[in-house]
Amino acid sequence: TQTLAVFVPDQAVYTLPYQVDMEVSYGTLRGKVTLQGIEDHSGVTISVPGTAFTTVSDLNGAWQMSLPEGNYTAGVQYSLSVFNTATDNSSFTISTDLVVALADVSLTRQVGSVAGKVVDENTNPLQGVSVLDPLTGQSTATDSQGVFTLSNVAVGTHDLELTLAGYGAVSQSIAISSGQSLDLTATPIVLTAYSFSGTVSLGAGVTDHSGVQVSIDGTSNLTVFTDTSGQFDFKGVIPGNYQLTVNRTGYKTQTLAVFVPDQAVYTLP
């Protein structure tokens, strides 16, 4: 609203000698939008349907725009590539110099599915491997044939995380589009077992050190035998504390406390 002081003279016709230019009154609309599975919530386009007014969210998902006074009944739309578009259908009224705050909105990812197979370094299928999509939080596990199917996998190029106790974790890169069923079974994913090895000697004058039984008891319970050089090697040992027992007929049984660290290859020092 504008108020002007004018003087109307004593004459039959008087025209105001200047034009009065009206200014549009604006208020502020604001809100917050978050993106599923990530910490950077920037880049979401927020628009008011039926108008040309748009803005973009910041790193934290916060946004605001200036709108002319009036009643808006078409709501607000949120859109970003690889995410499902969302609409807040709330009606709102914009008044001069007032701020209208809308409810927070979250955008979910467009999804597809992935099938695959997981094996060890000898091509044996691995059961119980956890397969996780960190962007959606969806996970599954391989069956007795090492096969898995993971639904609701985020669209785009990113990594799946595969883990199994006693094996090195693997990040498997995928590229998937909305609604796609991606099949990776033709090229199995390989997990390498953790290795815990060492040497047992039967004495300085002995040339064949094979046949010594070596067992570990703890998180993993495994038994192997030494080769001719006295070497032993456990595969798939879960990191942790163990009792290592060494036994062979004609020799005293020995028991040692050992700690196997979280590393791919560990040799008893």
Side-chain angles (χ1 to χ4, degrees), residues 81-83 109-112 114 133 135 153-159 173-178 180 182:
S81 175
V82 309
F83 287 84
R109 286 185 171 272
Q110 297 174 7
V111 296
V114 177
D133 179 2
L135 295 184
V153 176
V155 164
T157 300
H158 64 289
D159 290 343
S173 179
I174 60 167
I176 190 169
S177 56
S178 182
Q180 179 185 5
L182 181 63

Side-chain angles (χ1 to χ4, degrees), residues 75-149:
V76 173
Q77 190 173 79
Y78 302 79
S79 59
L80 180 64
S81 175
V82 309
F83 287 84
N84 293 308
T85 296
T87 300
D88 181 343
N89 292 313
S90 302
S91 297
F92 53 90
T93 299
I94 297 295
S95 300
T96 304
D97 299 328
L98 294 181
V99 176
V100 175
L102 296 182
D104 294 353
V105 171
S106 180
L107 299 190
T108 57
R109 286 185 171 272
Q110 297 174 7
V111 296
S113 65
V114 177
K117 184 174 183 179
V118 186
V119 298
D120 64 15
E121 58 266 44
N122 297 314
T123 71
N124 298 310
L126 290 175
Q127 184 176 8
V129 178
S130 172
V131 184
L132 169 69
D133 179 2
L135 295 184
T136 63
Q138 294 295 311
S139 65
T140 189
T142 56
D143 62 17
S144 60
Q145 299 303 310
V147 175
F148 70 88
T149 299

